[in-house]
Amino acid sequence: MAGDGEIVKIGLLGRGTVGGAFADLVAERADAIATLTGKRPQVSGVLTSSTGDYDEILADADVIVELIGGLEPARDYVARALAAGKPVISANKALISTYGEQLFAASDDSGAPLLFEAAVAGVIPAIRVIEESLAGAHIDRVHGIVNGTTNYILTEMARNGLSYAEALGQAQALGYAEADPTADVGGGDAAAKMAILARLAFGVDVTLDQVTYEGIENITAADIAYAREFDLVLKLVGTAERINGGVSVRVFPAFLYPSHPLASVHGSFNAVTVESPSITEITMSGPGAGGIQTASAVLGDLVSILNDTPRVRGDGAPVEIVKDVESAFYLHLEVEDRPGVLAEIASALGDQDVSVRNFAQRTESAEGGSGQGTDEAARLVMVTHRTLESKFSAAVDQIAELSFVKAEPRVIRVIEEEFVD
Ligand code: HSE
């Protein structure tokens, strides 16, 4: 039997998809939480854009749950709650990735915890694992599929032949996308989450504006189809890694080989792979978007607070952000099919020390059939070995200028690591 438990009053900021699901979940799980913690959570006040007064809600609450998103007034509300010594739970990746340092300092000053498991990868306990379970590991690299909308879109395009627009419409209807899906498809949402993961994994002060990112708006069904020839799977991948004393944090569409743990993460699922010499790698996956899923992660943070086991964060150390990083690349060229073409392309790549790992040519006649001859077009698809991005870009710029190149070269990064057979 659940005990009554001491009432813990929650001031809920925001009652959208996640806020509404959270309020329902608190009511549904109150008995179980009372049994687990001896404390019974109860929503004592709700602030929406049209109802409620923050000062009154804050004065009455024991814990503030911020689910309004965006920077202001969320930053102001969270800072005031922490200054008042009240624990705060937030699912706001923009807020934490922009003002993390300032808010952690406020949390340290007052001793009131700030938890934000739901800000990254939905219900996956990535933050808890990085901060607690892997506290003894020196983490070198974190890869993540941390946006459910884009993973859903890419999966539907690859599996069911949906157009980009059709798949985006479905993701919105399912409640995965942000109110403005530009943040999803443009990579900004994933970039904010990777900034948070980098800060926690490496103990450094990384902010969203230091993350290089690109989205999936320009990905075509043809990119996905051509890459099948090399057995590659396309994902929007975030990477945070230590490089020569600095760190790089970036988000790009990237091809994965099938044996990479992230290659089999489909639909709206997210996954986070953590690499360290002492543990090799671990991958956590699960729903990364959706109201009830995100609300469940918020509730997990609430249980940590009720159990009085919140985490304490130090300041992030200053760090150099490395921009020019090594990667393997996929390059797709449309060229005239005549003697000397391949030699000139090879020469441009060779001049920049770019080495080709795989190569395929498909020849198409003007009518669309296959054959050979001087009036025909060829499609060249190759994957390089790892090379500095600046060198690869210089080679591609040179190739784009060649007279026989008929269309803008298409470039997509390739992640080479493979951990499982
Ligand atoms: N729009 C986000 C996504 C929701 O698609 O992953 C969770 O942050």
Side-chain angles (χ1 to χ4, degrees):
M1 274 289 288
D4 284 346
E6 171 199 343
I7 300 284
V8 173
K9 291 188 277 183
I10 299 166
L12 175 59
L13 314 185
R15 202 174 174 136
T17 312
V18 180
F22 176 74
D24 293 345
L25 203 57
V26 168
E28 188 187 314
R29 301 292 297 161
D31 281 352
I33 293 171
T35 303
L36 204 60
T37 67
K39 294 170 188 160
R40 176 174 293 274
Q42 198 173 78
V43 175
S44 55
V46 180
L47 185 74
T48 70
S49 53
S50 54
T51 59
D53 176 88
Y54 183 60
D55 290 317
E56 284 174 17
I57 290 169
L58 177 60
D60 190 38
D62 299 308
V63 177
I64 291 292
V65 172
E66 184 276 304
L67 301 174
I68 51 180
L71 293 181
E72 292 292 353
R75 187 207 55 80
D76 177 53
Y77 292 164
V78 169
R80 282 162 61 193
L82 293 171
K86 306 220 170 167
V88 175
I89 302 166
S90 171
N92 188 334
K93 54 241 155 178
L95 179 71
I96 305 297
S97 64
T98 304
Y99 293 121
E101 202 67 11
Q102 180 189 118
L103 296 173
F104 297 158
S107 161
D108 280 353
D109 284 350
S110 71
L114 169 62
L115 299 189
F116 46 89
E117 185 67 72
V120 178
V123 77
I124 303 170
I127 290 175
R128 191 171 273 106
V129 167
I130 286 173
E131 289 196 312
E132 292 182 359
S133 314
L134 299 182
H138 182 82
I139 298 171
D140 286 331
R141 187 190 287 130
V142 179
H143 281 313
I145 292 177
V146 288
N147 183 269
T149 301
T150 46
N151 206 41
Y152 179 87
I153 292 171
L154 293 174
T155 302
E156 289 297 311
M157 288 173 74
R159 276 189 179 166
N160 300 326
L162 259 59
S163 72
Y164 170 80
E166 284 168 339
L168 172 59
Q170 284 193 10
Q172 287 177 294
L174 290 165
Y176 301 147
E178 299 296 299
D180 174 4
T182 316
D184 296 301
V185 297
D189 178 83
K193 293 166 180 170
M194 291 310 299
I196 295 172
L197 289 180
R199 168 184 288 275
L200 301 178
F202 307 144
V204 295
D205 181 16
V206 182
T207 49
L208 172 57
D209 58 357
Q210 294 172 313
V211 182
T212 310
Y213 65 90
E214 192 180 295
I216 64 163
E217 303 107 312
N218 297 322
I219 295 296
T220 65
D223 291 326
I224 294 172
Y226 295 156
R228 285 215 181 97
E229 296 177 24
F230 293 126
D231 212 12
L232 294 167
V233 181
L234 187 68
K235 298 288 177 190
L236 184 67
V237 179
T239 301
E241 63 183 336
R242 297 184 197 265
I243 299 176
N244 302 328
V247 304
S248 160
V249 191
R250 53 194 193 270
V251 175
F252 286 110
F255 285 121
L256 297 164
Y257 289 96
S259 55
H260 192 284
L262 298 185
S264 54
V265 177
H266 300 304
S268 66
F269 266 39
N270 282 197
V272 177
T273 293
V274 183
E275 297 173 40
S276 160
S278 52
I279 60 163
T280 310
E281 67 88 21
I282 64 163
T283 300
M284 300 160 265
S285 71
I292 184 72
Q293 294 85 348
T294 309
S296 158
V298 176
L299 200 70
D301 277 348
L302 181 64
V303 170
S304 288
I305 287 172
L306 300 183
N307 274 333
D308 208 17
T309 55
R311 284 141 273 160
V312 176
R313 292 181 184 86
D315 292 343
V319 72
E320 182 206 348
I321 302 294
V322 180
K323 292 286 184 188
D324 193 14
V325 300
E326 280 195 345
S327 175
F329 291 91
Y330 159 97
L331 175 62
H332 174 212
L333 299 170
E334 285 175 39
V335 296
E336 291 169 24
D337 188 16
R338 61 172 166 78
V341 163
L342 211 49
E344 282 199 58
I345 291 169
S347 163
L349 293 170
D351 285 352
Q352 295 294 335
D353 299 320
V354 177
S355 173
V356 174
R357 169 175 168 163
N358 283 314
F359 173 85
Q361 172 168 346
R362 297 285 174 273
T363 306
E364 292 148 14
S365 71
E367 293 78 41
S370 283
Q372 292 179 338
T374 52
D375 291 327
E376 290 163 346
R379 182 159 59 77
L380 308 181
V381 187
M382 64 196 86
V383 175
T384 73
H385 286 289
R386 282 171 75 85
T387 177
L388 264 186
E389 181 169 350
S390 55
K391 292 196 150 210
F392 181 73
S393 298
V396 173
D397 288 349
Q398 200 179 325
I399 290 168
E401 295 299 313
L402 297 171
S403 60
F404 52 74
V405 174
K406 292 155 68 97
E408 191 69 24
R410 292 194 65 74
V411 170
I412 295 175
R413 284 157 182 78
V414 177
I415 291 176
E416 287 191 308
E417 296 103 49
E418 298 172 75
F419 296 100
V420 285
D421 293 325

